[in-house]
Amino acid sequence: MMKPIRLTTFLSLLSLCISCKKPFQSDENTSTISLSEPREIPMSEIITKIEYVALPDNFNFFFVDKILSAKGLYFFCDFGHTYKIAILDKEFKLVGTIENYGSGPGEYQNIKDACINTSKYTLDILSGNKLLRFDFSGNFIEEFKFPFILSKLEHRHGDEYIVHIHPGVKSAYANNKEALDRNLLFTWDSKTDELSPILPNPYKHPLPFISEPNILKRVKNDYFFTKSFTDTIYWVKDNKVHKKYHLEFRDKMLPLKLLQEKEAIDVLNNPNTKERYIYHFARLFANEDYLITSYLEKSSSVLIYNRKNHKSISASKFENDIDHGPNNFHPKFLQDNIIFGSYAPEILMEHYQKHLDQLRGVDNSFTKMAKQLNRDSGSVLVLYHLK
């Protein structure tokens, strides 16, 4: 299997662009969300307050790929480095872990995805052609295999899941038949292994293999799906595409064909690519009020779309005029109107020391947290409250 590309090298200093206009409605089933030219805004225009929470220092939260929540618990998942999952209570105290790396029963060689099983109230972990099931305390319950490779999954009900299969996946231990490449989304009956297509693959050129931990999201009984290097977010309802959100990249979208002519990583690292093109670096988060994803225009950018008033903000660099903490903004989870982010303690400490003259005598949530940190502290969770 081809090794996914990790694009963390692109998440550097951030540039900004903002759009607060209603998107053009091309038809009743498609909304176009436009990205504007870069400019800077104060953080207070979209955020009311920022909270900082010290995470437990006996678990490495630096590589958090995905956060899940259920029954007052949070599951912080690392798919690509430590292959561990931390279970935290509502106060963000560590109450359990899943650290089952291995090749035996109840163990995994990798983690492709994880989801909450809302029927059994379990954490279901996807590893190759195997699904492992754990209770919310981190105890192994059961596992089973299936005859194909799934890329992403969300639970639907009972034994059914909504799954994404990346076109062109090959493996020595499972057979993804070529016919599966014709669709991007399916319903999967885990008892019978029956796959029923939902979303046909509309792309003529192959989609690059890239680490995409957050591209399929469940919102109550609906699902939202997108892919990096594409320009569409799909809203799936009742096993059908209910609506499409078209991302308008100002005629600067990176052509998929270009990624096939040369090695994708070489194209993406090319300074001319960064200067000339915009591409969707999908990090999808969704709830009843918002859609959030990321894209790169010279540097990392974030799109926040309000599903109720149809206004959007596309931004990556803010002036933090709320507590004068760091300006970086990398969403990792969305719950109600709160966006989760995180910082290594060194980042907050260095920012505080660098701006000590400005912050001297200031007593707010950022300065309180920065003063209590040291080099041995754990990561810091940041909660951004949207207006």
Side-chain angles (χ1 to χ4, degrees), residues 181-225:
D181 292 352
R182 300 185 191 128
N183 295 277
L184 293 177
L185 279 185
F186 304 80
T187 57
W188 169 48
D189 187 319
S190 62
K191 284 294 185 184
T192 65
D193 283 329
E194 181 181 357
L195 291 168
S196 302
I198 296 175
L199 174 63
N201 181 1
Y203 304 107
K204 296 180 180 179
H205 298 284
L207 296 168
F209 286 86
I210 177 176
S211 176
E212 297 177 298
N214 294 284
I215 59 171
L216 176 61
K217 296 294 177 181
R218 176 175 179 168
V219 179
K220 292 194 172 180
N221 293 321
D222 296 347
Y223 301 83
F224 292 85
F225 172 76

Side-chain angles (χ1 to χ4, degrees), residues 69-75 88-90 116 118 121 136:
S69 178
K71 295 290 186 180
L73 297 171
Y74 295 95
F75 303 85
L88 281 68
D89 64 17
K90 62 182 180 180
I116 300 297
T118 55
Y121 292 106
F136 285 173

Side-chain angles (χ1 to χ4, degrees), residues 65-327:
D65 293 299
K66 189 172 189 176
I67 300 175
L68 300 167
S69 178
K71 295 290 186 180
L73 297 171
Y74 295 95
F75 303 85
F76 283 62
C77 308
D78 178 359
F79 297 160
H81 292 85
T82 65
Y83 306 109
K84 298 178 182 179
I85 296 176
I87 306 170
L88 281 68
D89 64 17
K90 62 182 180 180
E91 303 297 331
F92 300 103
K93 305 299 183 183
L94 189 66
V95 295
T97 61
I98 298 174
E99 305 178 48
N100 289 36
Y101 184 81
S103 56
E107 297 177 332
Y108 46 77
Q109 288 287 303
N110 58 63
I111 301 178
K112 289 296 182 184
D113 202 7
C115 73
I116 300 297
N117 186 315
T118 55
S119 295
K120 298 179 182 293
Y121 292 106
T122 58
L123 181 70
D124 294 356
I125 295 177
L126 177 64
S127 179
N129 67 328
K130 180 167 71 171
L131 188 141
L132 302 95
R133 195 163 279 153
F134 295 81
D135 67 22
F136 285 173
S137 296
N139 301 307
F140 172 69
I141 300 174
E142 61 179 339
E143 68 175 52
F144 56 89
K145 293 185 177 181
F146 34 90
F148 35 72
I149 298 293
L150 302 178
S151 303
K152 298 295 164 192
L153 83 169
E154 280 282 6
H155 185 248
R156 188 166 180 257
H157 58 70
D159 297 317
E160 287 192 6
Y161 296 78
I162 302 292
V163 300
H164 163 56
I165 299 178
H166 189 99
V169 170
K170 305 297 180 186
S171 172
Y173 55 88
N175 180 24
N176 275 25
K177 296 181 180 179
E178 190 173 324
L180 295 181
D181 292 352
R182 300 185 191 128
N183 295 277
L184 293 177
L185 279 185
F186 304 80
T187 57
W188 169 48
D189 187 319
S190 62
K191 284 294 185 184
T192 65
D193 283 329
E194 181 181 357
L195 291 168
S196 302
I198 296 175
L199 174 63
N201 181 1
Y203 304 107
K204 296 180 180 179
H205 298 284
L207 296 168
F209 286 86
I210 177 176
S211 176
E212 297 177 298
N214 294 284
I215 59 171
L216 176 61
K217 296 294 177 181
R218 176 175 179 168
V219 179
K220 292 194 172 180
N221 293 321
D222 296 347
Y223 301 83
F224 292 85
F225 172 76
T226 191
K227 290 287 288 180
S228 293
F229 307 108
T230 71
D231 61 0
T232 306
I233 299 173
Y234 298 91
W235 175 2
V236 174
K237 191 181 187 70
D238 298 326
N239 288 349
K240 297 179 181 178
V241 176
H242 174 71
K243 190 179 184 70
K244 300 177 185 178
Y245 295 94
H246 172 71
L247 307 180
E248 176 51 62
F249 290 105
R250 306 195 312 273
D251 297 323
K252 296 176 66 178
M253 182 177 172
L254 179 68
L256 277 173
K257 182 179 179 181
L258 190 62
L259 297 172
Q260 306 308 314
E261 296 173 351
K262 299 179 181 180
E263 287 290 332
I265 193 65
D266 293 334
V267 174
L268 299 176
N269 277 323
N270 190 317
N272 292 331
T273 302
K274 297 180 183 181
E275 185 67 30
R276 182 177 179 183
Y277 295 110
I278 305 172
Y279 58 92
H280 189 193
F281 180 45
R283 293 292 184 267
L284 180 65
F285 305 97
N287 62 21
E288 292 183 280
D289 297 318
Y290 298 100
L291 287 177
I292 298 175
T293 191
S294 301
Y295 63 96
L296 279 92
E297 184 178 13
K298 299 182 181 178
S299 60
S300 178
S301 304
V302 176
L303 170 67
I304 303 174
Y305 174 75
N306 189 309
R307 294 176 59 199
K308 292 186 175 179
N309 64 22
H310 309 296
K311 292 182 179 180
S312 64
I313 291 176
S314 47
S316 57
K317 184 179 180 181
F318 298 91
E319 175 197 355
N320 186 345
D321 59 336
I322 296 176
D323 60 23
H324 307 291
N327 297 325

